[in-house]
Amino acid sequence: MRILVTGGTGYIGSHTTLELLQAGHDVVVMDNLANSSTESLNRVQELSGRTASFVQADLLDPQALEAIFAEHSPEAVIHFAGLKAVGESVAKPLHYYRNNVAGTLNLLAAMDRHDVRTIVFSSSATVYGASEEVPLVEDMPMDAVNPYGRTKEQIEDILADLGASDERWSIALLRYFNPVGAHESGRIGEDPTGVPNNLLPFVAQVAVGRREKVMVFGNDYNTPDGTGVRDYIHVMDLAAGHLAALDYIAARKGVKRWNLGTGNGSSVLEVLAAFSKAAGKDVPYEFAPRRPGDAAVSYADPSAARAELGWSAGRSLDDMCRDHWNWQKQNPQGYATQA
Ligand code: NAD
Ligand code: WQD
């Protein structure tokens, strides 16, 4: 297929673009480079031995979107582009609603005009909010607790309404749990701007010497070791989940929601231990107060994706830490270091 990948130079988009190219799909990547660089795409092309088209464009620019559809005639869209920093979304809600929600409306309008009605959307486990019931199942109510999460919830609602209004649409809403790791080559990986918000990139930057120690947010949760438990999923398993979802919806109409997680929870201390083992060194840490808005435990029931997509996430926490470390140690400053 010819696939438009929005946000394709970003972390998950670059790994999925690699999988798409290796599976023989033709890819056009569009990204405004707000949180990424084209170096990821250079490396994806080097790894796959294939080229993808690249257009630097913003979802908020309807004319640019129109030109992409007119020139490249994609048959399906995988929509990663969006802003994702929870704290920033609390400080700048309008920026987040405009970029993520209005940007998606522009994309959907362009798709409709060009008779492209197959879309895989990057949603998030964040739509479950602070639910205390685990595992999380797709039919549980959405209850996001911050503006970022509410943009995901609103886009899911928009896509569900769209699917209900017009039976020609094929829509997959993929709720990612905690994506980590990197391609096994270490050539592509996660390269956060500024201080990482998420645990794994922070741990990796401490291990590589860019930061002094990890602050463990809370050790008094009702969990086996008192620290928060999450469902970490290897980014290459996640990428494969997109291809499975695309295959599924390319052959069927309607709206589907799938959790993409492993179904296993790991605590912050377990992650630190696994990463220290992978890096062959202790990663210094210190306990700190809980981070506001954090749930104690979050992990998926991934059985719907397994049953319907024939997909499951097979890589272990050790695999995730090994590959994340391999990327970080080869690229201590991320993509900025070397070509
Ligand atoms: P990322 O920031 O690495 O990638 C997102 C890309 O979108 C970036 O390259 C950015 O430049 C681009 N972008 C943002 N706004 C744009 C706009 N208006 N026009 C064009 N491009 C724009 O993030 P990621 O981790 O790869 O996440 C991809 C998607 O998955 C996002 O929608 C994110 O919300 C979602 N998601 C991520 C996680 C996670 O923990 N990484 C978890 C659940 C869901
Ligand atoms: C994991 C665990 C922290 C950093 C976030 C978003 C969510 C989704 C995935 C996009 C928690 C603890 C973290 C640190 C720590 N993104 N922690 N020290 O909060 O589960 O989910 O990313 O959709 O929307 O909210 O992931 O990696 O930030 O935290 O102790 O420096 O690590 O308290 O228990 P989270 P995370």
Side-chain angles (χ1 to χ4, degrees):
M1 290 176 89
R2 267 191 314 283
I3 298 160
L4 171 63
V5 179
T6 75
T9 48
Y11 173 43
I12 306 168
S14 56
H15 290 78
T16 305
T17 296
L18 175 60
E19 288 287 273
L20 290 168
L21 290 172
Q22 287 180 330
H25 295 290
D26 292 326
V27 178
V28 50
V29 167
M30 74 86 82
D31 201 301
N32 66 358
L33 304 180
N35 196 38
S36 56
S37 80
T38 52
E39 180 56 19
S40 60
L41 192 56
N42 294 339
R43 296 186 185 191
V44 162
Q45 296 181 138
E46 159 205 303
L47 287 167
S48 65
R50 297 193 58 214
T51 52
S53 304
F54 175 70
V55 184
Q56 184 173 350
D58 198 304
L59 289 173
L60 295 176
D61 180 349
Q63 284 167 355
L65 284 169
E66 181 61 29
I68 291 170
F69 279 86
E71 188 178 333
H72 296 278
S73 307
E75 296 158 274
V77 176
I78 305 185
H79 179 32
F80 294 103
L83 298 171
K84 62 166 184 177
V86 172
E88 188 185 48
S89 82
V90 174
K92 299 180 184 172
L94 298 184
H95 184 47
Y96 269 65
Y97 287 113
R98 190 177 304 111
N99 191 79
N100 292 4
V101 182
T104 300
L105 289 172
N106 287 342
L107 174 68
L108 295 172
M111 289 178 68
D112 204 32
R113 268 198 308 278
H114 289 268
D115 288 325
V116 183
R117 296 192 183 84
T118 302
I119 181 168
V120 176
F121 171 62
S122 300
S123 187
S124 169
T126 200
V127 298
Y128 295 113
S131 166
E132 283 178 11
E133 216 182 314
V134 281
L136 294 154
V137 187
E138 287 86 347
D139 61 7
M140 286 178 174
M142 293 197 287
D143 187 20
V145 295
N146 55 63
Y148 163 70
R150 281 189 280 274
T151 70
K152 294 296 178 192
E153 194 173 315
Q154 291 176 8
I155 296 166
E156 283 207 17
D157 283 341
I158 289 167
L159 285 165
D161 287 344
L162 184 60
S165 74
D166 182 341
E167 60 185 21
R168 292 173 298 173
W169 282 86
S170 302
I171 297 170
L173 308 173
L174 302 184
R175 295 176 175 167
Y176 315 155
F177 278 70
N178 290 63
V180 298
H183 186 257
E184 64 200 6
S185 65
R187 292 292 291 157
I188 57 172
E190 184 172 15
D191 183 16
T193 313
V195 182
N197 295 303
N198 296 115
L199 180 63
L200 254 288
F202 202 102
V203 169
Q205 290 192 6
V206 171
V208 86
R210 280 173 68 178
R211 300 186 188 278
E212 194 193 338
K213 60 185 171 215
V214 178
M215 307 306 284
V216 176
F217 299 143
N219 63 346
D220 56 355
Y221 285 108
N222 186 17
T223 59
D225 65 21
T227 65
V229 168
R230 295 292 182 274
D231 186 341
Y232 298 93
I233 174 172
H234 196 294
V235 67
M236 293 308 297
D237 283 331
L238 192 59
H242 288 74
L243 273 75
L246 185 64
D247 273 356
Y248 183 100
I249 63 164
R252 294 169 187 82
K253 306 293 174 201
V255 182
K256 297 289 294 186
R257 290 178 179 76
W258 288 294
N259 285 338
L260 296 186
T262 63
N264 303 315
S266 304
S267 73
V268 177
L269 292 181
E270 285 170 336
V271 169
L272 281 163
F275 206 96
S276 297
K277 189 170 81 176
K281 56 172 102 166
D282 283 341
V283 178
Y285 66 87
E286 193 176 294
F287 291 120
R290 292 182 182 195
R291 188 172 62 178
D294 271 356
V297 181
S298 162
Y299 60 88
D301 175 344
S303 56
R306 188 163 52 234
E308 294 180 303
L309 303 178
W311 169 92
S312 60
R315 291 170 176 87
S316 67
L317 183 62
D318 284 343
D319 297 335
M320 300 177 212
C321 292
R322 178 199 63 216
D323 292 340
H324 207 113
W325 174 239
N326 188 33
W327 148 257
Q328 187 72 74
K329 112 183 140 203
Q330 284 187 47
N331 305 273
Q333 303 297 326
Y335 289 114
T337 19
Q338 76 275 358

